[in-house]
């Protein structure tokens, strides 16, 4: 998380491209799963269920967009409040070509 904060700081916040890059795997997986479900529901002509599942997917995407907008709005305050020296210390040595760490400690 600290490495991602440093990367966001280098880009002056959370631009859409950075969000898409960080979330690409989960976005593709959710699109594939919901797409498969919607295709099956359409095949069996279960239109009420199709509309419910399509609405759930649309709501999920709108929630993520709202989270991104909130993050972008709060970035100026967050960038001033954070102690960037401590964030760098937690991030450890960061290779400029390395992907941000995604492994969760303590699990």
């Amino acid at each position: 998380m600290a490495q991602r904060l440093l990367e966001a700081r280098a880009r002056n916040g959370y631009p859409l491209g950075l969000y898409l890059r960080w979330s690409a795997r989960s976005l593709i997986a959710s699109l594939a799963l919901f797409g498969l479900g919607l295709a099956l529901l359409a095949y069996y002509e279960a239109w009420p269920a199709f509309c419910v599942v399509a609405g759930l997917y649309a709501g999920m995407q709108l929630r993520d967009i709202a989270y991104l907008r909130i993050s972008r709005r709060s970035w100026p305050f967050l960038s001033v409040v954070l102690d960037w020296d401590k964030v760098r210390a937690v991030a450890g040595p960061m290779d400029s070509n390395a992907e941000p760490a995604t492994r969760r400690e303590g699990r």
Side-chain angles (χ1 to χ4, degrees), residues 17-92:
L18 185 62
Y19 166 74
L20 291 175
R21 191 183 69 163
W22 285 347
S23 305
R25 191 174 292 167
S26 64
L27 289 172
I28 291 170
S30 67
L31 180 63
L33 288 173
F34 275 91
L36 177 64
L38 289 172
L40 286 172
L41 290 171
Y43 178 76
Y44 290 112
E45 297 181 5
W47 300 117
F50 180 92
C51 291
V52 169
V53 173
L56 287 172
Y57 183 75
M60 187 174 75
Q61 295 307 315
L62 288 173
R63 178 207 57 203
D64 291 345
I65 291 169
Y67 175 74
L68 176 63
R69 290 183 65 203
I70 290 168
S71 297
R72 292 171 102 181
R73 246 184 294 159
S74 65
W75 180 256
F77 174 75
L78 185 65
S79 66
V80 171
V81 172
L82 281 175
D83 185 353
W84 291 105
D85 294 328
K86 288 183 181 177
V87 173
R88 272 189 225 95
V90 170

